[in-house]
Amino acid sequence: MVKINAYQVARKAHVSPATVSRVLNHRSKVSIETAKKVDEAIDSLNFRVNEDDDNKHLIIVSVPELTNIFYTEILEGSKAAANAANFKLLIDQTEITDETINGFVSYIDELRVYGIILLNQLPTKLLNVLSKHTRVVQCCEYNIESNLPAISIDDYAAAKLATEQLISSGKNKIAILNGPHSFKYSRERERGFLKALSENHLNYNEDWNMGLPAISYDIAYPIVSQMLNSFNRPNAFFCVSDTLGAAVISATRKYNLKIPEDISVIGFDNTVLSKIISPSLSTINQPKFQEGYTAVELLRKSDHRKNHLFLKTELIVRETT
Amino acid sequence: MVKINAYQVARKAHVSPATVSRVLNHRSKVSIETAKKVDEAIDSLNFRVNEDDDNKHLIIVSVPELTNIFYTEILEGSKAAANAANFKLLIDQTEITDETINGFVSYIDELRVYGIILLNQLPTKLLNVLSKHTRVVQCCEYNIESNLPAISIDDYAAAKLATEQLISSGKNKIAILNGPHSFKYSRERERGFLKALSENHLNYNEDWNMGLPAISYDIAYPIVSQMLNSFNRPNAFFCVSDTLGAAVISATRKYNLKIPEDISVIGFDNTVLSKIISPSLSTINQPKFQEGYTAVELLRKSDHRKNHLFLKTELIVRETT
């Protein structure tokens, strides 16, 4: 990336350098037309702010929700990588939306942030705004239309493997507990699940395909209870998160069904929860520490900027399959 | 608190204002003697840096470890309070020690932080340095020698209540799984535990008083297994964390002992884990959200600066007692 300064942007956009600075730092104080002219000039020059101004060595990790332990294990990896490289790492929980983006980028500029790691998927439009203000790496969830660097896993292959584990343990009526389809992981894991069913000539029952509005024990528990209480009930559950697997275990216990004899369960992520609960939960290990670590490394190496990297997952067989 | 500027400190310490600034911002570049002179002048004038300079409205929460879900629920409360007051909240995982304190306060100054919430107990010396640079509130763990504001619970009363719950369920051989004695919670909960035993004329067996080096499932599991496998084994466990309670449940299951018939267990904190595991864990509810929320409120109201506040806990009876 060629380094270009704000004067060149100003000349290109036919505005003053002060206006360029205002667009970048106090966007709300500039008319939409002016902001658009400056944005276009920036795009055409491939300009990035703060390219020379990253003495802070400050990295922000934007996290959607910390109460999901999945994220905290990723943060451990990012923290280790930041420490090793003498960077400072801070965690931000702001939900980045059309409404909050202006305040957010002002903040990024004021703190002179070196780069940001996104653990949530953002729309292309917001990614474009953000990447004009700082380096951006997407981690786990990412926008498949964006060329910004991303580190993730092959959700399709992992879900296929998990479903095959249930099939090989002799189960033939398999349900899926999924998250919202707006997420890449949700669409890809469903695809892997369906592929495993069709390759093994098993029927697909759409009543057993549950897309939950959030990864939540409290939402999953009554839904699973209802499925277990029906005349035609599944004998296995593929859950896209260990938390949902815990809900299946609790509900199965309520109906005095045996795990894994009556009901098999497999989770996803291999969080500490999957090991702690009884019976311990079979799951797919997602290399969370490495994902967090690699995200920091990608941020520091801007030559990797167009790469989408995928780390390997593995099957962890415990007591529920 | 009277507002005093760096010039008055300089006059008092017989140094230049630039030296005062260096001590505050780049301590490592100043001789130990000079830093000491300036510190003493600051102390005698009751001076605080950035008193007029908190336009950032930035609050930092210093967290010892995010993989402990206890902390993430506290952070939810702090986030809500910061949002409501239009403050920005960032989470920092730096371990604040004699070695890291200089770099840390430089950072606090550069980012012009409004205040810091500490979720870990710091030695008086480090608290004194930190509180010269920004507002400080201690949350959950706190230094009992310090006058800095703190929000916590009555660990003694809560532990006594938990132990009495085990006794009232008919158990008389009660073990405690505790954390390191360096923490206030550890000493106070042990005191409450012992008081409940003596009030109920139960023997205290010091082999059943286990101080673990960390709140860790992996450390607790083999220790509990060994206790359950011994000739004279406890029939109840008071655990100072739900994570340790989960270890007791797993180990009990391994030895084919029944909960709560053979072994009763009670945890502490009422994290989401205590509800999710099977059987669900009786525990002490710590008002985590309110603690995090109140910490931000205390930070914003400097007239509360000498208060130590305590929030109420409650007993949650589930399947393990």
Side-chain angles (χ1 to χ4, degrees):
Chain A
M1 173 164 292
V2 185
K3 291 179 185 174
I4 296 169
N5 69 27
Y7 289 90
Q8 290 172 271
V9 174
R11 208 176 308 137
K12 185 99 183 178
H14 304 291
V15 299
S16 71
T19 301
V20 173
S21 167
R22 258 198 304 281
V23 170
L24 294 171
N25 297 307
H26 305 283
R27 201 176 179 87
S28 56
K29 295 181 184 166
V30 183
S31 75
I32 294 171
E33 293 75 33
T34 306
K36 199 173 162 227
K37 270 201 291 185
V38 171
D39 282 346
E40 284 168 1
I42 288 171
D43 284 341
S44 71
L45 291 166
N46 200 15
F47 172 72
R48 273 186 56 245
V49 187
N50 291 345
E51 189 82 47
D52 299 320
D53 190 23
D54 40 22
N55 56 344
K56 273 284 165 61
H57 282 207
L58 173 62
I59 292 172
I60 299 273
V61 188
S62 170
V63 182
E65 47 160 345
L66 280 170
T67 47
N68 186 339
I69 44 178
F70 171 68
Y71 294 115
T72 64
E73 297 189 28
I74 287 177
L75 286 164
E76 289 292 296
S78 295
K79 179 174 129 186
N83 283 348
N86 217 7
F87 274 70
K88 178 93 180 160
L89 189 116
L90 292 170
I91 300 159
D92 186 284
Q93 297 178 277
T94 308
E95 195 189 349
I96 304 172
T97 64
D98 285 340
E99 286 68 42
T100 63
I101 185 76
N102 284 337
F104 190 77
V105 296
S106 294
Y107 219 79
I108 290 288
D109 290 338
E110 279 181 56
L111 296 183
R112 291 195 291 150
V113 168
Y114 177 87
I116 183 164
I117 295 169
L118 298 172
L119 296 190
N120 212 350
Q121 170 188 309
L122 287 191
T124 307
K125 189 178 133 203
L126 296 181
L127 281 177
N128 286 344
V129 174
L130 201 53
S131 62
K132 274 171 205 145
H133 289 260
T134 191
R135 298 167 182 83
V136 177
V137 163
Q138 307 174 89
C139 184
C140 304
E141 267 306 303
Y142 66 95
N143 181 327
I144 50 169
E145 291 167 9
S146 164
N147 280 328
L148 290 168
I151 172 83
S152 190
I153 56 162
D154 184 343
D155 287 289
Y156 167 79
K160 186 163 175 283
L161 184 65
T163 311
E164 284 164 353
Q165 165 68 9
L166 296 171
I167 296 168
S168 72
S169 73
K171 297 305 191 314
N172 55 4
K173 297 162 74 177
I174 304 177
I176 175 172
L177 291 188
N178 206 346
H181 262 198
S182 54
F183 292 101
K184 180 260 311 181
Y185 82 79
S186 164
R187 299 188 300 270
E188 286 296 292
R189 291 183 198 173
E190 183 183 62
R191 207 162 64 79
F193 166 77
L194 293 174
K195 181 69 175 172
L197 291 191
S198 70
E199 276 189 5
N200 289 276
H201 314 292
L202 292 182
N203 285 330
Y204 164 65
N205 182 337
E206 70 176 21
D207 291 343
W208 296 342
N209 185 343
M210 290 292 173
L212 310 183
I215 300 297
S216 153
Y217 177 92
D218 288 333
I219 294 173
Y221 182 85
I223 289 174
V224 175
S225 295
Q226 212 175 346
M227 290 169 88
L228 291 179
N229 199 26
S230 68
F231 178 70
N232 184 24
R233 68 165 177 246
N235 54 22
F237 287 82
F238 165 50
C239 304
V240 300
S241 148
D242 294 336
T243 302
L244 303 180
V248 173
I249 291 174
S250 297
T252 302
R253 205 165 156 270
K254 186 173 100 183
Y255 288 103
N256 290 316
L257 296 164
K258 281 192 179 147
I259 293 174
E261 294 82 352
D262 302 323
I263 306 285
S264 289
V265 195
I266 191 162
F268 208 104
D269 291 339
N270 193 27
T271 55
V272 66
L273 175 68
S274 62
K275 192 176 67 174
I276 281 185
I277 54 178
S278 306
S280 59
L281 183 66
S282 295
T283 190
I284 295 291
N285 181 54
Q286 177 159 188
K288 301 171 287 299
F289 187 93
Q290 284 147 273
E291 285 177 278
Y293 198 100
T294 309
V296 170
E297 293 296 294
L298 282 177
L299 211 50
R300 293 177 52 224
K301 292 170 189 161
S302 49
D303 52 321
H304 285 169
R305 113 181 342 265
K306 296 207 173 186
N307 280 2
H308 288 189
L309 295 184
F310 297 96
L311 295 179
K312 277 207 162 43
T313 56
E314 49 191 3
L315 175 68
I316 310 276
V317 180
R318 294 207 183 93
E319 297 174 320
T320 59
T321 57
Chain B
M1 173 164 294
V2 186
K3 291 178 186 176
I4 296 171
N5 68 28
Y7 289 92
Q8 291 172 268
V9 175
R11 209 176 305 134
K12 185 99 184 176
H14 304 291
V15 299
S16 71
T19 302
V20 174
S21 166
R22 258 198 304 279
V23 170
L24 294 170
N25 297 306
H26 304 283
R27 203 176 178 84
S28 55
K29 295 181 183 165
V30 182
S31 75
I32 294 171
E33 293 75 35
T34 306
K36 203 175 158 219
K37 272 201 291 185
V38 171
D39 282 346
E40 283 167 2
I42 288 172
D43 284 342
S44 70
L45 291 165
N46 200 15
F47 171 72
R48 272 189 54 247
V49 186
N50 292 343
E51 189 80 47
D52 299 321
D53 192 16
D54 41 20
N55 56 345
K56 272 285 164 61
H57 283 208
L58 172 61
I59 292 173
I60 299 273
V61 188
S62 169
V63 182
E65 47 159 346
L66 281 170
T67 45
N68 186 339
I69 44 178
F70 170 69
Y71 294 115
T72 64
E73 297 188 27
I74 288 179
L75 286 164
E76 289 293 297
S78 295
K79 179 174 131 184
N83 283 348
N86 216 9
F87 275 69
K88 177 94 182 161
L89 189 116
L90 292 171
I91 300 158
D92 186 283
Q93 299 177 273
T94 308
E95 195 189 349
I96 304 172
T97 63
D98 285 340
E99 284 69 42
T100 63
I101 185 75
N102 285 336
F104 190 76
V105 296
S106 294
Y107 218 79
I108 291 288
D109 290 338
E110 280 181 56
L111 296 183
R112 289 193 292 149
V113 168
Y114 177 87
I116 182 162
I117 294 169
L118 298 173
L119 296 190
N120 212 351
Q121 170 189 307
L122 288 191
T124 307
K125 190 178 133 201
L126 295 181
L127 281 177
N128 287 344
V129 174
L130 202 52
S131 62
K132 274 171 206 146
H133 289 260
T134 191
R135 297 165 182 85
V136 176
V137 164
Q138 307 174 91
C139 184
C140 305
E141 268 306 302
Y142 66 95
N143 181 328
I144 51 168
E145 292 167 9
S146 164
N147 280 327
L148 290 168
I151 171 81
S152 190
I153 56 164
D154 184 342
D155 287 288
Y156 167 78
K160 187 164 173 284
L161 184 65
T163 310
E164 284 163 355
Q165 165 68 8
L166 296 171
I167 296 168
S168 72
S169 74
K171 295 305 190 316
N172 55 4
K173 297 162 74 177
I174 305 177
I176 176 172
L177 291 188
N178 206 347
H181 261 197
S182 53
F183 292 103
K184 182 259 311 179
Y185 82 79
S186 164
R187 299 187 300 268
E188 287 295 293
R189 292 183 197 172
E190 182 184 64
R191 207 163 64 80
F193 166 76
L194 294 173
K195 181 69 175 172
L197 292 191
S198 70
E199 276 189 7
N200 288 276
H201 314 292
L202 292 181
N203 285 331
Y204 164 64
N205 181 339
E206 71 176 19
D207 291 343
W208 296 341
N209 185 343
M210 289 293 173
L212 311 183
I215 300 298
S216 154
Y217 176 91
D218 287 333
I219 294 173
Y221 183 84
I223 289 174
V224 175
S225 295
Q226 211 175 345
M227 290 169 87
L228 291 178
N229 199 27
S230 69
F231 178 70
N232 183 26
R233 67 167 178 246
N235 55 22
F237 286 83
F238 165 50
C239 305
V240 300
S241 148
D242 294 336
T243 302
L244 303 181
V248 174
I249 291 175
S250 297
T252 303
R253 205 165 154 270
K254 186 173 98 181
Y255 289 103
N256 289 316
L257 296 164
K258 280 191 181 151
I259 295 175
E261 295 82 351
D262 302 322
I263 306 285
S264 288
V265 197
I266 192 161
F268 208 106
D269 292 338
N270 192 28
T271 55
V272 66
L273 175 68
S274 63
K275 192 175 68 174
I276 280 185
I277 52 178
S278 304
S280 59
L281 182 66
S282 296
T283 190
I284 295 291
N285 182 53
Q286 175 158 190
K288 299 170 287 299
F289 187 94
Q290 285 147 271
E291 285 177 278
Y293 198 99
T294 309
V296 170
E297 293 298 294
L298 282 177
L299 211 50
R300 292 178 51 225
K301 293 168 189 163
S302 49
D303 52 319
H304 283 170
R305 120 180 339 265
K306 295 205 176 190
N307 280 3
H308 287 189
L309 296 183
F310 297 95
L311 295 179
K312 277 206 162 43
T313 55
E314 48 190 4
L315 175 68
I316 311 277
V317 180
R318 295 208 183 93
E319 298 173 319
T320 58
T321 58

